[in-house]
Amino acid sequence: MARTVPITDASVEEAARLLREGHLVAFPTETVYGLGANALDDAAVAQIYAAKKRPQFNPLIVHLPNVKDVRTFVVMDARAERVAAALWPGPLSIVLPRTPNCRLSTLVSAGLDTAALRVPSSASAQQLLRAAGVPVAAPSANKSGMLSPTEAKHVSDAFRNDVALTLDAGPCAVGLESTVLDLSTEIPTLLRTGGIVIETLEDILEDSVTIAGHDDAAPKSPGMLSRHYAPHTPLRINALHAEGDEALIGFGAPVSGERANLSPAGDLVEAAANLFRTLHELDAQNHKSIAVRPIPERGLGHAINDRLRRAARR
Ligand code: TXA
Ligand code: MG
């Protein structure tokens, strides 16, 4: 049974340790309560998707206590520095290119070469992030498609077993998710409206900001879909065996000819954790084609198959 505890120095230390050890911790920010995991740990990030029952791998926001730490994971250009100086800490997330040797889990980016970063302002979030010493991936702590959680009780009502600890600091001040600004391309684009309005961003950037059609639960516009990572190598799904010199990715008990296996034990959380890294690795090996063994349509299998179907479509 998950525990909810008030924010104290001791509970923050415990939450920080649980995060470092790969567990899920729910914590307050100025926007909404987040469902946090160590963003360096693929398996921990995979648990977020499993707990939220997200049907797809939407990229997640990574939280850090200051801009200096942000610069170790993404490339900040002059525009990003300006926006960050004006609005961080605060309810703004910025999408930026991952650094060449970025240690963030590929799952937080859902396989993209960008990542969304945020430096939250709430004292509790700041205290937890400093104590954790690792970047924390955190979507809102609600089941996919349900209302956003602005009190600890909303979190404990939604997650009975998946969350190791929930830190309670009362209601969130903003109560609305952060604004998401994409600065990974030449034209600044607003991916999600939120606590910071577009005029504020345009004033700081001295440039106009384009609004993308975007929905947190399900990116609908073809533009959003095409942004997703797909391997350059043709991909065949639900393959029973490799044909010709296809590189075969297995799931469950290994069969002959596999180049990789997402989870020999047939564990869908482990498979999700390994998915994007495995695709990247095989893609870089210049195979003619990649084939993936069937993944069961249950639990995280829905999200894995969603991603594989999109990657196979061309
Ligand atoms: O206020 C908030 O931002 C809350 C609290 C907990 O900080 N977090 C939150 O995270 O709402 P999440 O993961 O639910 O929101 C992610 C949003 C989605 O709309 C997603 O599509 C977008 O940010 N996003 C994240 N990374 C992205 C990327 N690399 N490229 C494009 N969009 C990205
Ligand atoms: Mg959300």
Side-chain angles (χ1 to χ4, degrees):
M1 185 69 185
R3 277 186 306 139
T4 301
V5 294
I7 285 256
T8 61
D9 288 352
S11 66
V12 167
E13 280 308 322
E14 184 186 3
R17 179 178 54 76
L18 287 166
L19 281 171
R20 284 192 300 271
E21 289 173 356
H23 300 285
L24 298 186
V25 167
F27 65 99
T29 79
E30 70 276 25
T31 59
V32 297
Y33 275 74
L35 183 62
N38 179 351
L40 304 177
D41 181 339
D42 290 320
V45 177
Q47 284 181 56
I48 291 180
Y49 290 100
K52 281 188 68 97
K53 300 206 188 325
R54 274 201 179 181
Q56 299 132 346
F57 294 118
N58 287 348
L60 304 173
I61 293 168
V62 175
H63 300 69
L64 283 163
N66 57 61
V67 189
K68 185 169 151 284
D69 289 355
V70 170
R71 290 190 198 105
T72 64
F73 298 106
V74 287
V75 183
M76 289 190 60
D77 62 9
R79 299 173 306 172
E81 291 290 354
R82 242 157 91 185
V83 174
L87 298 174
W88 276 349
L92 176 77
S93 302
I94 312 179
V95 175
L96 292 164
R98 295 166 65 107
T99 54
N101 293 310
C102 181
R103 286 156 56 232
L104 295 176
S105 161
T106 52
L107 204 48
V108 304
S109 298
L112 297 168
D113 52 12
T114 56
L117 276 289
R118 176 160 110 81
V119 177
S121 61
S122 92
S124 342
Q126 278 285 331
Q127 195 186 347
L128 176 64
L129 293 171
R130 283 195 298 263
V134 292
V136 176
S140 49
N142 55 311
K143 297 274 181 182
S144 188
M146 307 307 276
L147 285 179
S148 290
T150 55
E151 292 177 25
K153 186 183 175 307
H154 300 159
V155 181
S156 48
D157 285 349
F159 299 95
R160 300 236 157 252
N161 303 308
D162 306 299
V163 178
L165 191 69
T166 299
L167 295 177
D168 185 352
C172 300
V174 177
L176 191 73
E177 277 92 345
S178 64
T179 298
V180 180
L181 175 68
D182 186 352
L183 290 178
S184 69
T185 54
E186 206 170 314
I187 299 166
T189 307
L190 194 74
L191 298 182
R192 183 173 76 184
T193 53
I196 304 231
V197 298
I198 192 163
E199 289 78 8
T200 305
L201 298 172
E202 292 184 325
D203 285 349
I204 296 164
L205 288 165
E206 294 177 0
D207 193 2
S208 58
V209 172
T210 301
I211 303 177
H214 181 248
D215 171 356
D216 187 359
K220 287 191 188 78
S221 77
M224 280 308 291
L225 297 183
S226 63
R227 299 169 51 83
H228 278 289
Y229 169 82
H232 301 288
T233 315
L235 189 82
R236 189 166 70 88
I237 54 180
N238 293 319
L240 295 181
H241 302 284
E243 280 169 15
D245 48 10
E246 275 180 334
L248 186 64
I249 302 178
F251 173 84
V255 300
S256 70
E258 284 179 9
R259 290 294 180 121
N261 191 303
L262 296 176
S263 170
D267 176 346
L268 289 162
V269 175
E270 183 185 25
N274 289 328
L275 179 66
F276 291 110
R277 190 166 21 80
T278 305
L279 288 175
H280 275 287
E281 280 168 10
L282 289 185
D283 201 19
Q285 293 169 8
N286 292 316
H287 296 283
K288 270 224 187 67
S289 159
I290 298 172
V292 191
R293 299 255 303 153
I295 311 290
E297 283 283 0
R298 63 180 152 79
L300 271 189
H302 296 297
I304 296 172
N305 283 320
D306 170 75
R307 167 55 54 242
L308 288 173
R309 276 191 295 271
R310 287 171 203 240
R313 200 188 295 155
R314 53 190 60 232

PDB file of all heavy atoms in Angstrom, residues 216-234:
ATOM      1  N   ASP A 216      -2.127  16.628 -24.912  1.00  0.00           N
ATOM      2  CA  ASP A 216      -1.263  15.854 -24.008  1.00  0.00           C
ATOM      3  C   ASP A 216      -1.532  14.353 -24.108  1.00  0.00           C
ATOM      4  O   ASP A 216      -0.620  13.550 -24.232  1.00  0.00           O
ATOM      5  CB  ASP A 216      -1.491  16.341 -22.578  1.00  0.00           C
ATOM      6  CG  ASP A 216      -0.518  15.727 -21.584  1.00  0.00           C
ATOM      7  OD1 ASP A 216       0.327  14.905 -21.973  1.00  0.00           O
ATOM      8  OD2 ASP A 216      -0.616  16.061 -20.419  1.00  0.00           O
ATOM      9  N   ALA A 217      -2.808  13.976 -24.077  1.00  0.00           N
ATOM     10  CA  ALA A 217      -3.143  12.553 -23.988  1.00  0.00           C
ATOM     11  C   ALA A 217      -2.837  11.836 -25.303  1.00  0.00           C
ATOM     12  O   ALA A 217      -2.363  10.704 -25.293  1.00  0.00           O
ATOM     13  CB  ALA A 217      -4.610  12.392 -23.641  1.00  0.00           C
ATOM     14  N   ALA A 218      -3.105  12.481 -26.424  1.00  0.00           N
ATOM     15  CA  ALA A 218      -2.916  11.821 -27.717  1.00  0.00           C
ATOM     16  C   ALA A 218      -2.567  12.850 -28.765  1.00  0.00           C
ATOM     17  O   ALA A 218      -3.424  13.581 -29.216  1.00  0.00           O
ATOM     18  CB  ALA A 218      -4.194  11.087 -28.121  1.00  0.00           C
ATOM     19  N   PRO A 219      -1.292  12.942 -29.129  1.00  0.00           N
ATOM     20  CA  PRO A 219      -0.941  13.894 -30.180  1.00  0.00           C
ATOM     21  C   PRO A 219      -1.675  13.503 -31.456  1.00  0.00           C
ATOM     22  O   PRO A 219      -1.491  12.417 -31.960  1.00  0.00           O
ATOM     23  CB  PRO A 219       0.575  13.737 -30.330  1.00  0.00           C
ATOM     24  CG  PRO A 219       0.934  12.492 -29.617  1.00  0.00           C
ATOM     25  CD  PRO A 219      -0.180  12.123 -28.699  1.00  0.00           C
ATOM     26  N   LYS A 220      -2.552  14.399 -31.949  1.00  0.00           N
ATOM     27  CA  LYS A 220      -3.433  14.009 -33.055  1.00  0.00           C
ATOM     28  C   LYS A 220      -2.926  14.518 -34.393  1.00  0.00           C
ATOM     29  O   LYS A 220      -3.112  13.878 -35.411  1.00  0.00           O
ATOM     30  CB  LYS A 220      -4.842  14.564 -32.818  1.00  0.00           C
ATOM     31  CG  LYS A 220      -5.590  13.819 -31.725  1.00  0.00           C
ATOM     32  CD  LYS A 220      -7.068  14.211 -31.713  1.00  0.00           C
ATOM     33  CE  LYS A 220      -7.797  13.635 -30.507  1.00  0.00           C
ATOM     34  NZ  LYS A 220      -7.537  14.371 -29.284  1.00  0.00           N
ATOM     35  N   SER A 221      -2.327  15.715 -34.392  1.00  0.00           N
ATOM     36  CA  SER A 221      -1.961  16.288 -35.668  1.00  0.00           C
ATOM     37  C   SER A 221      -0.848  15.462 -36.290  1.00  0.00           C
ATOM     38  O   SER A 221       0.037  14.983 -35.594  1.00  0.00           O
ATOM     39  CB  SER A 221      -1.513  17.731 -35.490  1.00  0.00           C
ATOM     40  OG  SER A 221      -0.214  17.760 -34.982  1.00  0.00           O
ATOM     41  N   PRO A 222      -0.917  15.259 -37.615  1.00  0.00           N
ATOM     42  CA  PRO A 222       0.098  14.459 -38.297  1.00  0.00           C
ATOM     43  C   PRO A 222       1.492  15.029 -38.031  1.00  0.00           C
ATOM     44  O   PRO A 222       2.467  14.292 -37.961  1.00  0.00           O
ATOM     45  CB  PRO A 222      -0.253  14.595 -39.769  1.00  0.00           C
ATOM     46  CG  PRO A 222      -1.649  15.136 -39.814  1.00  0.00           C
ATOM     47  CD  PRO A 222      -1.917  15.815 -38.521  1.00  0.00           C
ATOM     48  N   GLY A 223       1.550  16.348 -37.858  1.00  0.00           N
ATOM     49  CA  GLY A 223       2.835  16.978 -37.572  1.00  0.00           C
ATOM     50  C   GLY A 223       3.473  16.399 -36.333  1.00  0.00           C
ATOM     51  O   GLY A 223       4.663  16.101 -36.305  1.00  0.00           O
ATOM     52  N   MET A 224       2.667  16.224 -35.296  1.00  0.00           N
ATOM     53  CA  MET A 224       3.209  15.676 -34.057  1.00  0.00           C
ATOM     54  C   MET A 224       3.662  14.236 -34.268  1.00  0.00           C
ATOM     55  O   MET A 224       4.677  13.813 -33.768  1.00  0.00           O
ATOM     56  CB  MET A 224       2.154  15.715 -32.938  1.00  0.00           C
ATOM     57  CG  MET A 224       2.003  17.060 -32.273  1.00  0.00           C
ATOM     58  SD  MET A 224       3.586  17.733 -31.711  1.00  0.00           S
ATOM     59  CE  MET A 224       3.981  16.597 -30.357  1.00  0.00           C
ATOM     60  N   LEU A 225       2.848  13.477 -35.023  1.00  0.00           N
ATOM     61  CA  LEU A 225       3.190  12.071 -35.216  1.00  0.00           C
ATOM     62  C   LEU A 225       4.493  11.931 -35.994  1.00  0.00           C
ATOM     63  O   LEU A 225       5.332  11.114 -35.650  1.00  0.00           O
ATOM     64  CB  LEU A 225       2.068  11.347 -35.960  1.00  0.00           C
ATOM     65  CG  LEU A 225       0.735  11.288 -35.222  1.00  0.00           C
ATOM     66  CD1 LEU A 225      -0.266  10.491 -36.030  1.00  0.00           C
ATOM     67  CD2 LEU A 225       0.904  10.677 -33.843  1.00  0.00           C
ATOM     68  N   SER A 226       4.651  12.771 -37.035  1.00  0.00           N
ATOM     69  CA  SER A 226       5.837  12.616 -37.866  1.00  0.00           C
ATOM     70  C   SER A 226       7.098  13.030 -37.114  1.00  0.00           C
ATOM     71  O   SER A 226       8.201  12.714 -37.531  1.00  0.00           O
ATOM     72  CB  SER A 226       5.681  13.435 -39.144  1.00  0.00           C
ATOM     73  OG  SER A 226       5.596  14.805 -38.807  1.00  0.00           O
ATOM     74  N   ARG A 227       6.920  13.756 -35.996  1.00  0.00           N
ATOM     75  CA  ARG A 227       8.080  14.148 -35.212  1.00  0.00           C
ATOM     76  C   ARG A 227       8.709  12.939 -34.522  1.00  0.00           C
ATOM     77  O   ARG A 227       9.835  12.993 -34.084  1.00  0.00           O
ATOM     78  CB  ARG A 227       7.681  15.146 -34.125  1.00  0.00           C
ATOM     79  CG  ARG A 227       7.087  16.418 -34.661  1.00  0.00           C
ATOM     80  CD  ARG A 227       6.479  17.199 -33.529  1.00  0.00           C
ATOM     81  NE  ARG A 227       7.449  17.345 -32.440  1.00  0.00           N
ATOM     82  CZ  ARG A 227       8.382  18.270 -32.427  1.00  0.00           C
ATOM     83  NH1 ARG A 227       8.475  19.121 -33.405  1.00  0.00           N
ATOM     84  NH2 ARG A 227       9.213  18.346 -31.418  1.00  0.00           N
ATOM     85  N   HIS A 228       7.920  11.881 -34.406  1.00  0.00           N
ATOM     86  CA  HIS A 228       8.407  10.744 -33.625  1.00  0.00           C
ATOM     87  C   HIS A 228       9.539  10.006 -34.318  1.00  0.00           C
ATOM     88  O   HIS A 228       9.590   9.918 -35.531  1.00  0.00           O
ATOM     89  CB  HIS A 228       7.265   9.788 -33.310  1.00  0.00           C
ATOM     90  CG  HIS A 228       6.471  10.234 -32.134  1.00  0.00           C
ATOM     91  ND1 HIS A 228       6.974  10.174 -30.860  1.00  0.00           N
ATOM     92  CD2 HIS A 228       5.250  10.779 -32.033  1.00  0.00           C
ATOM     93  CE1 HIS A 228       6.069  10.652 -30.037  1.00  0.00           C
ATOM     94  NE2 HIS A 228       5.023  11.031 -30.712  1.00  0.00           N
ATOM     95  N   TYR A 229      10.387   9.459 -33.501  1.00  0.00           N
ATOM     96  CA  TYR A 229      11.517   8.712 -34.010  1.00  0.00           C
ATOM     97  C   TYR A 229      11.058   7.446 -34.726  1.00  0.00           C
ATOM     98  O   TYR A 229      10.239   6.703 -34.219  1.00  0.00           O
ATOM     99  CB  TYR A 229      12.438   8.315 -32.848  1.00  0.00           C
ATOM    100  CG  TYR A 229      13.483   7.313 -33.242  1.00  0.00           C
ATOM    101  CD1 TYR A 229      14.646   7.740 -33.857  1.00  0.00           C
ATOM    102  CD2 TYR A 229      13.284   5.962 -33.035  1.00  0.00           C
ATOM    103  CE1 TYR A 229      15.602   6.821 -34.243  1.00  0.00           C
ATOM    104  CE2 TYR A 229      14.234   5.044 -33.422  1.00  0.00           C
ATOM    105  CZ  TYR A 229      15.390   5.475 -34.026  1.00  0.00           C
ATOM    106  OH  TYR A 229      16.315   4.572 -34.417  1.00  0.00           O
ATOM    107  N   ALA A 230      11.557   7.236 -35.914  1.00  0.00           N
ATOM    108  CA  ALA A 230      11.389   5.943 -36.573  1.00  0.00           C
ATOM    109  C   ALA A 230      12.755   5.546 -37.089  1.00  0.00           C
ATOM    110  O   ALA A 230      13.517   6.397 -37.545  1.00  0.00           O
ATOM    111  CB  ALA A 230      10.395   6.046 -37.715  1.00  0.00           C
ATOM    112  N   PRO A 231      13.099   4.273 -37.017  1.00  0.00           N
ATOM    113  CA  PRO A 231      14.410   3.869 -37.522  1.00  0.00           C
ATOM    114  C   PRO A 231      14.497   4.091 -39.026  1.00  0.00           C
ATOM    115  O   PRO A 231      13.488   4.082 -39.721  1.00  0.00           O
ATOM    116  CB  PRO A 231      14.480   2.377 -37.175  1.00  0.00           C
ATOM    117  CG  PRO A 231      13.097   1.956 -36.875  1.00  0.00           C
ATOM    118  CD  PRO A 231      12.312   3.170 -36.497  1.00  0.00           C
ATOM    119  N   HIS A 232      15.694   4.325 -39.540  1.00  0.00           N
ATOM    120  CA  HIS A 232      15.896   4.460 -40.983  1.00  0.00           C
ATOM    121  C   HIS A 232      15.723   3.100 -41.645  1.00  0.00           C
ATOM    122  O   HIS A 232      15.298   2.984 -42.777  1.00  0.00           O
ATOM    123  CB  HIS A 232      17.301   4.997 -41.269  1.00  0.00           C
ATOM    124  CG  HIS A 232      17.550   6.316 -40.627  1.00  0.00           C
ATOM    125  ND1 HIS A 232      16.962   7.469 -41.067  1.00  0.00           N
ATOM    126  CD2 HIS A 232      18.300   6.664 -39.547  1.00  0.00           C
ATOM    127  CE1 HIS A 232      17.334   8.470 -40.301  1.00  0.00           C
ATOM    128  NE2 HIS A 232      18.149   8.006 -39.368  1.00  0.00           N
ATOM    129  N   THR A 233      16.090   2.049 -40.918  1.00  0.00           N
ATOM    130  CA  THR A 233      16.010   0.687 -41.433  1.00  0.00           C
ATOM    131  C   THR A 233      14.547   0.243 -41.470  1.00  0.00           C
ATOM    132  O   THR A 233      13.825   0.459 -40.501  1.00  0.00           O
ATOM    133  CB  THR A 233      16.797  -0.257 -40.498  1.00  0.00           C
ATOM    134  OG1 THR A 233      18.048   0.359 -40.178  1.00  0.00           O
ATOM    135  CG2 THR A 233      17.033  -1.603 -41.144  1.00  0.00           C
ATOM    136  N   PRO A 234      14.096  -0.372 -42.577  1.00  0.00           N
ATOM    137  CA  PRO A 234      12.719  -0.894 -42.619  1.00  0.00           C
ATOM    138  C   PRO A 234      12.458  -1.858 -41.454  1.00  0.00           C
ATOM    139  O   PRO A 234      13.358  -2.615 -41.057  1.00  0.00           O
ATOM    140  CB  PRO A 234      12.662  -1.633 -43.960  1.00  0.00           C
ATOM    141  CG  PRO A 234      13.738  -1.022 -44.788  1.00  0.00           C
ATOM    142  CD  PRO A 234      14.817  -0.596 -43.828  1.00  0.00           C
TER     143      PRO A 234
END
